[in-house]
Amino acid sequence: MLGGAPPNIHHVGDVPSTMEAAREMLAAAKGAPFAVLAESQSKGRGTGGRVWTSPKGNLYFTLCIPEASVRPEITPVLPLVTGLVCREAIKSIVKGADVHVKWPNDIIYDSKKLGGSIVEAEGNYLLIGIGMNVELAPPVTDSGRDTTTVNDIAAAVGQPKVTPVQLAEAVWKQYFEVLSDTTLSRKVIVMNFEAAMDKSLILHRRTPTGRDPEPLRAVRLNEWGHLTVLKSDGTEETLLTEYLF
Ligand code: BT5
């Protein structure tokens, strides 16, 4: 039923974070899906309290989905769904875009970070926060990897520039298509994510002060979407909650 819903996107200017802007709109939405798209954020955030640098020109989007529209089987892998949806949204606009994902929540192009997502729950809603660099690639201020933009991809494949509004509408469309597809099992989502991962990336565990020097490589995902990595001593380890640069 949600599959064909036209995008209900509230456009706002500068906000601290679209996550909080969306929270303030939940009561008025009365259980219907909606989204917030901001021009810029003064306190954009990533996971674990990290900063999401949010100048004007990029996409800052929070999609608010009634919890009841997400099959319980899918809920544990929503970060993976979100990465796949963002990848498809970019590919639907920039034909031939060679975009990849990095476990659990990053969008990658040319080994650089293009975007990321966070999933939060509030009342009867799931809040899917998505940041994608469209025009500007902000320098990272911590140990994160280099950054890139959707319009770097467009330039590389000789296609017109993309706007945050175009991308937001494509994310909306793809997200509800995925949620309405009742044949899409958790296993298939995990397989699709694994197939879209850039396994050539050198990964590092995040530590409270930076990043662990040991280089890791993604090997495979299990049915819950947990990543097994290859360590420098040749042994493997399955990560449950660690986040990686
Ligand atoms: C993420 O966190 O990648 C999730 C980012 C979610 C941002 C969206 S914007 C709309 C909504 N409203 C919000 O306030 N947030 C969401 P994480 O995996 O923890 O990555 C954070 C790390 O990415 C930082 O520590 C930096 O290294 C790097 N980073 C920060 N800003 C970046 C940017 N604009 N582009 C690429 N990398 C960035």
Side-chain angles (χ1 to χ4, degrees):
M1 192 181 70
L2 286 168
N8 178 14
I9 302 175
H10 298 267
H11 296 249
V12 296
D14 183 66
V15 293
S17 159
T18 55
M19 302 307 281
E20 276 58 54
R23 276 188 167 78
E24 287 167 14
M25 297 179 191
L26 288 178
K30 298 194 170 78
F34 71 97
V36 179
L37 177 67
E39 282 183 3
S40 58
Q41 300 182 123
S42 53
K43 288 197 176 126
R45 54 191 168 83
T47 58
R50 278 175 282 270
V51 170
W52 188 256
T53 312
S54 308
K56 197 170 170 179
N58 294 337
L59 172 132
Y60 311 106
F61 190 62
T62 296
L63 181 56
C64 301
I65 302 175
E67 208 173 19
S69 4
V70 181
R71 285 176 292 131
E73 187 194 351
I74 304 301
T75 311
V77 292
L78 271 185
L80 307 189
V81 169
T82 306
L84 289 171
V85 161
C86 290
R87 177 172 184 258
E88 284 309 313
I90 295 170
K91 284 161 80 76
S92 73
I93 304 173
V94 184
K95 306 293 175 206
D98 190 21
V99 195
H100 290 91
V101 290
K102 171 177 153 286
W103 185 86
N105 67 329
D106 287 353
I107 306 149
I108 298 287
Y109 170 68
D110 191 21
S111 306
K112 298 175 189 143
K113 182 157 170 167
L114 184 155
S117 63
I118 48 179
V119 177
E120 297 177 353
E122 182 77 41
N124 296 326
Y125 278 91
L126 292 164
L127 275 57
I128 317 287
I130 297 172
M132 283 197 263
N133 301 326
V134 179
E135 184 59 28
L136 297 167
V140 284
T141 50
D142 52 20
S143 318
R145 64 181 58 239
D146 286 348
T147 60
T148 187
T149 70
V150 176
N151 282 334
D152 285 340
I153 312 180
V157 295
Q159 292 196 24
K161 284 192 173 198
V162 175
T163 65
V165 172
Q166 267 181 301
L167 202 53
E169 289 178 354
V171 167
W172 175 288
K173 183 167 176 280
Q174 299 281 342
Y175 220 106
F176 287 111
E177 268 176 29
V178 168
L179 292 182
S180 336
D181 183 352
T182 51
T183 65
L184 207 50
S185 63
R186 189 178 65 229
K187 195 172 168 192
V188 171
I189 290 167
V190 168
M191 276 169 47
N192 290 347
F193 193 91
E194 188 175 308
M197 283 195 315
D198 182 346
K199 289 189 182 168
S200 70
L201 291 180
I202 304 290
L203 310 172
H204 293 273
R205 279 178 224 261
R206 288 173 182 171
T207 65
T209 50
R211 68 183 196 185
D212 187 284
E214 183 182 21
L216 306 169
R217 267 184 206 269
V219 181
R220 77 187 81 82
L221 295 173
N222 70 16
E223 66 163 311
W224 290 96
H226 298 146
L227 180 72
T228 298
V229 290
L230 180 65
K231 303 203 284 186
S232 44
D233 64 3
T235 61
E236 292 185 354
E237 184 178 335
T238 298
L239 308 178
L240 299 183
T241 55
E242 283 105 327
Y243 277 75
L244 301 163
F245 274 122

